[in-house]
Amino acid sequence: MNQELAKRKGLELIQRSKIAMIGSLDEKGYPNIKAMLNLQYEGMKIIWFSTNTSSKRVQQIRKEAKTSVYYVDQDRFSGLLLLGRMEVCTDEESRKALWFEGSERYYPQGINDPDYCVFRFVAEKGNYYEGLCNISFPIE
Amino acid sequence: MNQELAKRKGLELIQRSKIAMIGSLDEKGYPNIKAMLNLQYEGMKIIWFSTNTSSKRVQQIRKEAKTSVYYVDQDRFSGLLLLGRMEVCTDEESRKALWFEGSERYYPQGINDPDYCVFRFVAEKGNYYEGLCNISFPIE
C-alpha cells in the first residue's frame, strides 16, 4: 500500500463512518476519547463537529489544541488516525454550517443556543492501517 | 442514572464490545487513538491487551503511562471512558494469559515471539454516558 492508496482508503473510511473518535488532553495529562457524530469534512484536511459549549471537551481543547480524530472499521480491521489541531468556533457561519435536523435534541434553544458550538479540526498528518499493513502520510 | 447503574451499564458495554480504543500520548504531545481487540478484563479495574513490541504505542506507553480505554456503542449513543495507567508486560505469565487461537497471525514465532507483548491497564476513574446523560465515578 502506498501513500496515495492509504489516503484514498482513509477517505472512504471517513465517508462510511457514522462516528469519529476525538482524542484530547485533560488537565491532568490523560488522553481522553469521545465519540462524536461524523457530520462534515473537507477531504481529510478539515473536519467539523458540533458539541455542547459546556462540555469537558471544550474546556480541554481551549487549553490544548493538539488533538486527534480517529475512524475505525472493526469488521475490516482498518482505521485512520489524524493528528492535528482543534479550534472551538462560536461564530454564526460555523453554527449554521453544522446545524442539522435533530440538532434541537442537543441544543433546545436552537441555532443560537449558547450551549451550541462547533469544533474545526485541521489535520497535519495521518496514519491508515488495514490488517497488518499501515502507512503514515503528511496532510497538506 | 446513579453511579452503581452507570458502572453496571459500563461493564455490560465492555462485555459486548469487540474492540476498545486505547488513548496514549505521542512524543510531540498529541493524543493518539488505536483500536485493539477486547480480549480480557477483570471488571473494569484491570484490562489486558496484546500488541506488537515494536509498535509505536509501546514506545509511547513506556514513556508515559497515563492512558485511556474507551468503549462505544454507536447505535445506542453510549460510551465508557476509563482513565488510568498502562504497563507493558513481557513476562511469561502475561503472555500465556493473553494468547488465543489466531495469535500466530500477529506473532508468527508463537508465544515467545519477541514482538509479542501485553498491556496491563489499571483504571483509576470512569465516565459512562448514554444519550444526554453522563456520570463519572472512581474505580477502586
Side-chain angles (χ1 to χ4, degrees):
Chain A
M1 187 158 56
N2 60 26
Q3 287 193 353
E4 278 319 299
L5 182 59
K7 285 165 96 163
R8 188 159 59 77
K9 281 173 171 268
L11 193 55
E12 286 167 8
L13 176 54
I14 294 178
Q15 286 160 349
R16 68 176 188 273
S17 293
K18 188 176 159 186
I19 58 168
M21 260 61 72
I22 310 298
S24 58
L25 209 63
D26 73 16
E27 70 287 355
K28 291 190 173 153
Y30 289 84
N32 283 219
I33 304 175
K34 178 78 197 287
M36 302 192 81
L37 287 175
N38 182 19
L39 293 176
Q40 213 174 103
Y41 45 87
E42 299 166 31
M44 55 174 82
K45 181 66 184 171
I46 301 181
I47 302 172
W48 303 83
F49 302 96
S50 76
T51 192
N52 294 88
T53 319
S54 60
S55 69
K56 266 188 309 193
R57 224 141 311 273
V58 170
Q59 293 172 43
Q60 290 172 6
I61 288 167
R62 280 186 165 144
K63 278 195 187 155
E64 176 53 74
K66 286 179 188 169
T67 45
S68 55
V69 176
Y70 179 72
Y71 304 84
V72 63
D73 183 332
Q74 64 173 23
D75 298 316
R76 299 191 201 179
F77 293 97
S78 64
L80 173 70
L81 175 64
L82 303 174
L83 302 182
R85 281 162 202 269
M86 191 87 81
E87 186 190 348
V88 181
C89 306
T90 55
D91 61 290
E92 200 173 339
E93 195 183 346
S94 305
R95 284 163 180 269
K96 277 189 182 160
L98 269 281
W99 191 263
F100 65 99
E101 215 183 291
S103 291
E104 320 79 57
R105 186 176 171 228
Y106 304 100
Y107 318 111
Q109 295 181 49
I111 203 162
N112 293 314
D113 193 321
D115 200 32
Y116 167 50
C117 72
V118 166
F119 284 153
R120 180 177 184 266
F121 175 78
V122 181
E124 293 157 8
K125 57 183 189 170
N127 180 277
Y128 177 80
Y129 69 89
E130 202 175 283
L132 296 176
C133 179
N134 89 80
I135 191 151
S136 295
F137 44 84
I139 300 175
E140 310 295 343
Chain B
M1 185 158 59
N2 60 26
Q3 288 195 353
E4 277 320 299
L5 182 59
K7 286 166 94 161
R8 188 160 58 77
K9 282 174 171 267
L11 193 54
E12 286 167 7
L13 176 54
I14 295 178
Q15 286 160 349
R16 67 177 188 273
S17 294
K18 188 176 159 186
I19 58 168
M21 260 62 72
I22 310 299
S24 58
L25 208 65
D26 74 17
E27 72 285 355
K28 291 189 173 153
Y30 290 83
N32 283 217
I33 304 175
K34 178 78 198 284
M36 301 191 81
L37 287 173
N38 182 19
L39 293 174
Q40 215 174 101
Y41 45 88
E42 298 166 31
M44 57 175 81
K45 182 67 185 170
I46 301 180
I47 302 173
W48 303 82
F49 301 97
S50 76
T51 192
N52 294 88
T53 318
S54 60
S55 70
K56 267 188 308 194
R57 225 141 309 273
V58 170
Q59 293 172 42
Q60 289 172 5
I61 288 166
R62 280 186 167 143
K63 278 194 187 154
E64 176 53 74
K66 287 179 188 169
T67 45
S68 55
V69 176
Y70 180 71
Y71 305 84
V72 63
D73 183 332
Q74 65 174 24
D75 298 316
R76 298 190 202 181
F77 292 97
S78 64
L80 173 70
L81 175 64
L82 303 174
L83 302 182
R85 281 162 202 268
M86 191 87 79
E87 185 190 350
V88 180
C89 306
T90 53
D91 62 290
E92 199 173 339
E93 197 182 345
S94 304
R95 286 164 178 268
K96 278 188 182 160
L98 268 281
W99 192 261
F100 65 99
E101 216 183 289
S103 291
E104 321 78 56
R105 186 175 168 230
Y106 303 99
Y107 319 109
Q109 293 182 50
I111 201 161
N112 293 314
D113 193 322
D115 200 33
Y116 167 51
C117 73
V118 166
F119 284 151
R120 179 177 184 269
F121 175 79
V122 181
E124 293 156 9
K125 58 184 188 169
N127 179 277
Y128 177 79
Y129 69 91
E130 204 175 282
L132 296 176
C133 177
N134 89 80
I135 191 152
S136 295
F137 44 83
I139 300 174
E140 313 292 342

